[in-house]
Amino acid sequence: MCAGCGRARGPRSGPCWPPAAGPSSTAPRWRGTSAIPQSPLYSATKHAVIGLSKSAALQYAGDGIRVNVVSPGSTDTPLLRDLYRDPDALDQRARRASLGRLGSCEEVANAAAWLLSPLSGYATGQTIVVDGGVTAGSAVTRR
């Protein structure tokens, strides 16, 4: 018996995942929806998180568990600013987004909060990309 959810488990079964009923969310970055030629392993691991989440969504839907993915793009964090110490390089990265700026941690958290709320009650097996439009395509010239 699983201590987390109470379901019957075989003697060699691992713990249940997710451990309790309700929504679940993972975050593999937006590269899980595209690829980069310089790092096939990086792309593969991000795609794997999305595939695992889709499989888990199917496996646990009957138990009322929803599994979705939040896939953030370039988000203004200390780590990103440390990687892009040159302000011009950081600005260039921000301009890749159709919105022309970096995302905020709050914007990514808001997407996760929506997925974890009853407002998204019919969403499962989905990937919500929060990247300012990077994966939508090339941005038009801004005025």
Side-chain angles (χ1 to χ4, degrees):
M1 176 86 60
C2 175
C5 71
R7 285 184 281 195
R9 306 288 291 166
R12 294 181 181 243
S13 297
C16 289
W17 185 90
S24 177
S25 178
T26 58
R29 287 191 32 92
W30 66 269
R31 284 292 182 194
T33 60
S34 63
I36 50 176
Q38 301 86 353
S39 185
L41 183 59
Y42 181 84
S43 294
T45 60
K46 302 308 173 189
H47 282 76
V49 170
I50 291 173
L52 174 66
S53 297
K54 287 180 179 290
S55 293
L58 296 174
Q59 183 174 356
Y60 295 109
D63 296 323
I65 298 170
R66 296 181 297 111
V67 181
N68 294 291
V69 174
V70 175
S71 188
S74 294
T75 305
D76 193 357
T77 64
L79 176 61
L80 187 71
R81 288 189 175 272
D82 191 46
L83 289 171
Y84 290 86
R85 293 181 183 163
D86 175 15
D88 291 334
L90 184 63
D91 186 55
Q92 184 178 9
R93 182 166 181 107
R95 284 187 310 225
R96 291 187 341 188
S98 299
L99 295 177
R101 63 179 178 82
L102 299 173
S104 72
C105 294
E106 291 79 17
E107 289 168 319
V108 175
N110 287 340
W114 178 75
L115 283 172
L116 295 169
S117 79
L119 295 173
S120 68
Y122 199 56
T124 193
Q126 302 304 306
T127 299
I128 306 297
V129 180
V130 184
D131 70 353
V134 171
T135 54
S138 298
V140 297
T141 304
R142 284 181 261 303
R143 296 178 208 165

